[in-house]
Amino acid sequence: MFIEQIVKNNGDKNNDIKKILNGLSIGSFIFLLICTLTKPIYLDKRTVLFVFILSVFISLMTFIFDIDRINLATAISIHFTAITMFIMLLDWLWNIGINFLSILYSSALIYIISYLIVYIYARYNE
């Protein structure tokens, strides 16, 4: 039943492509916003690739919000945990050297900003 709900809600390839493109645009916007508000960082291919991969993963993980059996608070917790674990995985694979508290703090801050942007976007595109 649980798997059927996921397949039913995510079986549309066009919907998946839209989610990925929206995720890339929101992720890129947030990354550029953070770069503008903080000290300038050196942009290299790995940083841009990290933002793209993370944005795609985040957008694909939004399927959790489409599952009727999961309430919003649980879905947000699962989504946030999955994103944080994915960042830790990328950190481990690419040997970036980000400490856990920094990942947790940054993820929470970016998650809140992202949620607000998505909320405003959805509200004005109804």
Side-chain angles (χ1 to χ4, degrees):
M1 179 80 174
F2 183 71
I3 300 297
E4 291 171 0
Q5 182 75 27
I6 293 171
V7 171
K8 182 180 92 173
N9 289 330
N10 283 310
D12 183 14
K13 296 278 187 211
N14 289 333
N15 190 32
D16 291 342
I17 292 170
K18 286 179 186 176
K19 282 183 179 182
I20 290 171
L21 293 175
N22 281 335
L24 284 170
S25 63
I26 292 170
S28 300
F29 174 78
I30 291 171
F31 177 71
L32 291 172
L33 180 66
I34 290 170
C35 287
T36 303
L37 298 176
T38 61
K39 64 180 180 174
I41 61 169
Y42 175 74
L43 290 179
D44 59 356
K45 289 180 184 178
R46 190 167 82 163
T47 304
V48 173
L49 188 60
F50 178 84
V51 171
F52 283 167
I53 291 170
L54 183 59
S55 297
V56 169
F57 178 77
I58 290 169
S59 64
L60 291 175
M61 284 301 299
T62 60
F63 81 88
I64 200 75
F65 295 103
D66 296 332
I67 300 173
D68 297 332
R69 296 176 55 194
I70 299 176
N71 66 29
L72 182 61
T74 303
I76 289 172
S77 298
I78 293 169
H79 192 254
F80 179 77
T81 302
I83 291 167
T84 303
M85 291 174 62
F86 189 73
I87 293 169
M88 291 170 53
L89 175 68
L90 288 177
D91 177 50
W92 179 72
L93 289 174
W94 288 356
N95 197 22
I96 297 171
I98 307 171
N99 70 33
F100 177 73
L101 288 177
S102 177
I103 290 173
L104 197 59
Y105 171 75
S106 298
S107 296
L109 185 62
I110 293 169
Y111 196 84
I112 291 167
I113 293 169
S114 302
Y115 189 79
L116 289 173
I117 290 170
V118 169
Y119 177 79
I120 291 168
Y121 178 79
R123 183 123 169 120
Y124 285 103
N125 286 315
E126 290 180 340

